[in-house]
Amino acid sequence: MGNKQTIFTDEQLDAYQDCTFFTRKEILRLHGRYHELAPHLVPMDYTNEPDCKVPLSLIVNMPELKENPFRNRIVESFSEGGDGNLSFNEFVDMFSVLSEMAPRELKAIYAFKIYEDLEKTLNRLTKEELTPEEVELVCDKTIEEADLDGDNKLSFADFENMISRAPDFLSTFHIRI
Amino acid sequence: MPPKRKNDVAVKVEDVGMEVDAEIDSGSEDEARRRAKNRRAKPQRKAKQPSEDEEDEDEDETPRRKGRRKKTKARAKDDDEDDDDEDNRSVKSKTSKASRKKAPKDNEEDSEGEGDKKKRGKTVSKKEKEQQNKEKKGNVKGKAGQSKGGEKDKKKKNGSSSSSSGSDDESLSEGEMEALKEQVEEKKKLVATLRNKPWRMKRRLDVLKEAQDFVEKFEGALGKGKGRRLYAFKVMMAKKFIKFKRDFENFKTACIPWERKIKDVESHFGSSVASYFIFLRWMYGLNMVLFGLMFGLVILPEVLMGLPYGTIARKTVPRAEQDTAMDYSVLFDFEGYCKYSILFYGFYNNEKQIGLLKFRLPLSYLLVGVGIFGYSLMVVIRTMARNANEGGDGADEGDFTFSWKMFTSWDYLIGNPETADNKYASITTSFKESIVDEQENQKDENIHLRRFLRVLANFLILCCLGGSGYLIYFVVKRSQDFADMDNADLSWFEKNEVEFVMSLLGLVCPPLFETIAELEDYHPRIALKWQLARIFALFLGNLYTFLFALFDEVNEKLEREKIIKNETELALAHYYANYSSFYNTTDVPPPNVHPADAIRGPCWETGVGIEFVKLIVSDVQVSYLTILIGDFLRAVIVRFLNYCWCWDLEAGFPSYGEFDISGNVLGLIFNQGMIWMGAFYAPGLVGVNLLRLLSSMYYQCWAVMSCNVPHERVFKASRSNNFYMGLLLLVLFLSLLPVVYTIMTLSPSFDCGPFSGQEKMYDVVMQAIDQDLPAFIGNIFTYATNPGLIIPGVLLMVLALYYLNAVSEGYQQANTDLKKKMQAARDEEKNRRNNKDSTNQVMKDLEDLLPNKSLIPRPIEEEPPLDEIKVEKVSKPTKTKPGSSGNGVNLQKEVSLAAPNPRGPVTHGPGPRGGPPLNTRGPQPGPARGRGRGGHPRR
């Protein structure tokens, strides 16, 4: 226990618990994982909120993300600068949104961000095994299905409407850590 | 978060801080003016001039910003001012009161403003800005509310000041407090919902801190006099409670077992395989409760308070069996000492009340037996309802085929390269399937052959089912013959034939069905459903055949028991007659027979219990062996023989096993069914099952991780969860039937079990009602069981059922209507969009004929605005089939049918026709129109 106390103050842990869907233990574990990624960069002591970031290349190699075709997009979406380097806060944020407890609305917002580019999304999803014509067709169809306001693009409202009815979205859009 | 005590002080200081500050810093003209105004305002207000009030408020707004500067100063002077504070309190001048009242309000506003500024100062994305705007609005509102409150408060103060000279030491008046309270509540709410806000963590932390500080600061200020202390106490307790709740949550999540294990499996095999383990865990929880009931209310009392082993006949091994009673083989068949132990029904005594507590064991036994069903039913239904709520609102599958495939088909839990590869493959295939579907809507060739094959497959499977049913019946019949023969003559196989055959059927048939199902060529998801249904039918058929055979046996035993009972009674009568005639006395002591030598009936309940326990045990053995051989051995062979084999074993024929989800889940469900059925006859069965599930968890987890490969077609478990639950419910109901039947109709054995001596088992309840409850309850019960009451009751229930059914139908109707409406709206939207193009085709032709060209929008090809989604480039308005985009001839019908396009005012004149089309019309680029949340910049 003594070891744990030095990583975060109680206030910090409480604040994190208020801001995320994690329990105290999980936050400490997350810190452990974060520290593991770059032991030389990340200090063990977080009581004075050091400013350090772990680069994208290290984060996407986590086993939880490694096989995910959208790993780069995910990490980029959660980084404030958009470059994919995550501070611990952003790191916790990412897994909080992807946790099981996060509500559909919150997840939808980030999913919208992650799936920004339909074509790329599709190519990542199928490892580029569809022909360009097929990709075009699928993208067309997707937009046709989901686009409610008829502007030939997916606004967030369209996206949310579509995702709110998807039976699998909640069960698949989460990562356990 | 700063410690609370200190903050309290700070609050007090700031209550007066402004005033002190003002006196010192008299150079601040704002402050001075305000002060003056305040003084001036009072008499005016006494004269009731609300307009002045408003003006006052307006001016309050302006100096607010400057006030902040001062506040910081005030903070710096914390220490000396603490004393000042006391002084001020004692002075209680009207002015001080007024300004004090004002001060906290201003402070609030300041903190708000500060927060606002901070937020504004940040570099934020569009969305965030929007959020901010909202918040700002909220702030403004809050301010408005505040000022209102302030006004009110001033008026009130007028009243109070005119009536009483100032004995009150309240620092805040009602209205202000209301406003404060509101704000505090608001902040609290913000804290509670903070985690749902789509903000960056840093911002969230900042907001949290701010809100918490605010709450800390002003929560203490609320309440007054004695009430204040109480309020502070309340706040403290609330905080403690929150902390406790959080700790409790932490504890609770820590208590959920096997979380990591399941996570491991999940990351390797996707959510479908994990769903089995989650189901297993759920089942374990359920069985824990059942075991708790059984153990606490039946087994433990009997052990602690009942008669010990060897005191009466039912608790003693018969003399003839005593030699072999401790043999392993005998014990393994649950004969010998096992049979006469608390594991089985026969061991329990029919003494009405036992021990010091006068525990009514027979009654408890019956109630627990029924209660197990009641509890299970409740839990299953509750879980089902919860699951049903969780699923989406069930839009039609067809609406979003591609969108869902695109956005929800990747399972983020996958963390294993092999699974990922399979998933990629399956996603690609499913996309291709859909594309093909889309391109050519069903071109069924050779539908006759397909139909023939499906009929053939179903016929074959029916044959299988019938055959397996007959086989079981045959075997059970044969086992009854064996039972009559001498035990020593029988081989092991002959003794365990029933269990063996049942397990074997469960093992062989599902793969057979799967092979036959190949003929049908269904979509895999449909095929899975069929497969599940067939295995279910198989298991169910087997179980019920087994049950019927068992009932035959029971009836036989009942016959035998009757004879034995008569014989014992006869012998007893003889004994009494002889004894009384010999000793010439009517006071006959009971015959002195050693319990082991007593004549005893067959005790059919224990027999049934033993059958069930044996069934479970053999099931465990077979399934564990299957895993060991079918998975582990196979994996070992494939892995190590692959080095010296002529073909690739891993990729070729045997390969590694896949985890059979449907089979395993169904196995679990039927296992549970047998537990439910058998628990009444063998109270120990629940405990056995608990062990089984526990070992199963570890064993199967290990087996899956070490020797299985992910499915070829990784599919999701999403909805099937409730499907499993539905099956479980069905099995629960089906296993309820035989138990209730035996309780209500068969008469219990006369010399064993808690109900011996009763005509029917439920007589215990009747007795308890008659003898132990006050008479009027008995009366009520008699009335309640009167047909005259029951029939109206049933009628009422039927009516209620009818009514509820009608209501639900109404809702369904409304639901479908709404869906239709939505569909219509969607179609309309789509039509509009499509028509844009097609109309334009017509319009193009018309254009030449019309004089005023400016009224007609020019045809354009959508040119994507730069910040739009990339795909848009390729997305021509759909529904214009390839080839028809050039001329809108085939679309003219649609044109005439569809509603006219909504058109904005034409701002540009018509450009030269024939040139490259310009984007002058239609949806303007940029954020999606008409949608609150707005377009998201796309790159």
Side-chain angles (χ1 to χ4, degrees), chain B residues 419-455:
Chain B
T419 321
D421 281 344
N422 286 352
K423 188 80 192 174
Y424 282 125
S426 86
I427 288 174
T428 312
T429 342
S430 82
F431 267 122
K432 282 193 169 152
E433 272 172 13
S434 305
I435 290 169
V436 170
D437 276 0
E438 193 65 33
Q439 274 169 350
E440 40 194 304
N441 269 342
Q442 288 190 337
K443 54 166 191 182
D444 264 346
E445 11 89 78
N446 224 344
I447 194 164
H448 294 295
L449 179 65
R450 172 79 45 85
R451 269 189 199 150
F452 170 72
L453 283 177
R454 283 184 183 172
V455 170

Side-chain angles (χ1 to χ4, degrees), chain A residues 114-129:
Chain A
I114 290 167
Y115 299 133
E116 219 168 41
D117 187 330
L118 277 188
E119 225 171 302
K120 274 189 192 158
T121 302
L122 188 60
N123 279 333
R124 285 198 185 108
L125 205 52
T126 56
K127 283 208 166 168
E128 314 205 356
E129 283 193 14

Side-chain angles (χ1 to χ4, degrees), chain B residues 525-577:
Chain B
R525 201 169 296 143
I526 302 170
L528 180 77
K529 285 249 160 88
W530 275 99
Q531 174 77 357
L532 274 173
R534 280 164 186 162
I535 300 175
F536 190 79
L538 171 80
F539 282 5
L540 204 66
N542 292 358
L543 201 65
Y544 259 62
T545 333
F546 171 75
L547 270 183
F548 281 123
L550 213 60
F551 270 118
D552 275 359
E553 203 181 321
V554 166
N555 282 332
E556 214 171 277
K557 272 187 181 161
L558 277 174
E559 290 294 317
R560 207 148 29 105
E561 196 193 63
K562 233 179 241 166
I563 299 166
I564 293 175
K565 194 180 172 188
N566 284 341
E567 274 173 7
T568 8
E569 273 168 6
L570 208 63
L572 213 61
H574 270 291
Y575 163 79
Y576 281 128

Side-chain angles (χ1 to χ4, degrees), chain B residues 109-125:
Chain B
E109 281 171 0
D110 287 346
S111 64
E112 288 274 339
E114 252 173 335
D116 236 310
K117 212 163 198 184
K118 212 187 278 170
K119 279 167 217 153
R120 227 175 294 147
K122 262 188 195 166
T123 53
V124 277
S125 74

Side-chain angles (χ1 to χ4, degrees), chain B residues 539 619 662-672 692:
Chain B
F539 282 5
D619 188 38
S662 53
N664 273 303
V665 167
L666 281 181
L668 203 59
I669 287 174
F670 274 89
N671 172 61
Q672 192 59 38
R692 184 232 163 116

Side-chain angles (χ1 to χ4, degrees), chain B residues 234 352 907:
Chain B
K234 261 194 211 155
K352 234 181 81 187
T907 47

Side-chain angles (χ1 to χ4, degrees), chain B residues 116-298:
Chain B
D116 236 310
K117 212 163 198 184
K118 212 187 278 170
K119 279 167 217 153
R120 227 175 294 147
K122 262 188 195 166
T123 53
V124 277
S125 74
K126 206 173 178 183
K127 215 181 291 164
E128 274 174 328
K129 245 179 211 161
E130 251 184 54
Q131 204 81 33
Q132 261 182 30
N133 281 342
K134 260 186 225 163
E135 230 174 73
K136 254 188 265 170
K137 262 177 215 162
N139 275 350
V140 171
K141 253 186 219 163
K143 272 172 216 156
Q146 237 174 44
S147 51
K148 249 187 221 163
E151 223 169 310
K152 233 192 279 167
D153 137 53
K154 270 173 205 157
K155 271 173 196 159
K156 203 164 241 164
K157 187 195 68 193
N158 275 345
S160 70
S161 60
S162 59
S163 61
S164 65
S165 57
S167 62
D168 53 346
D169 65 343
E170 54 174 79
S171 60
L172 291 166
S173 61
E174 292 280 319
E176 219 163 3
M177 239 164 60
E178 282 299 308
L180 248 180
K181 234 177 205 165
E182 225 167 71
Q183 277 215 327
V184 168
E185 285 306 311
E186 219 167 76
K187 288 277 175 192
K188 271 184 183 167
K189 217 182 272 170
L190 178 70
V191 170
T193 57
L194 198 61
R195 60 188 70 165
N196 293 340
K197 294 256 160 43
W199 298 339
R200 299 266 175 227
M201 181 63 94
K202 209 163 134 200
R203 169 146 175 240
R204 248 184 269 170
L205 285 174
D206 287 344
V207 172
L208 174 75
K209 205 163 169 125
E210 213 170 88
Q212 275 176 344
D213 284 351
F214 180 85
V215 170
E216 290 258 335
K217 204 188 288 174
F218 289 108
E219 221 164 31
L222 294 176
K224 50 191 169 175
K226 269 186 192 166
R228 168 179 263 175
R229 207 171 279 166
L230 188 71
Y231 192 84
F233 179 72
K234 261 194 211 155
V235 168
M236 198 184 73
M237 284 318 283
K239 248 179 222 164
K240 284 254 161 76
F241 182 65
I242 287 172
K243 176 119 177 57
F244 171 76
K245 238 173 40 184
R246 177 170 287 164
D247 285 349
F248 188 68
E249 282 294 315
N250 286 351
F251 174 72
K252 229 168 51 180
T253 46
C255 276
I256 297 174
W258 306 308
E259 196 67 29
R260 307 289 298 166
K261 248 189 165 48
I262 290 176
K263 195 225 141 192
D264 272 356
V265 172
E266 203 163 42
S267 67
H268 273 81
F269 294 88
S271 51
S272 56
V273 174
S275 77
Y276 165 73
F277 286 99
I278 290 171
F279 189 58
L280 180 61
R281 184 173 64 182
W282 184 86
M283 210 65 123
Y284 185 75
L286 175 69
N287 276 286
M288 283 275 264
V289 176
L290 298 190
F291 179 71
L293 278 176
M294 211 34 145
F295 187 74
L297 293 175
V298 174

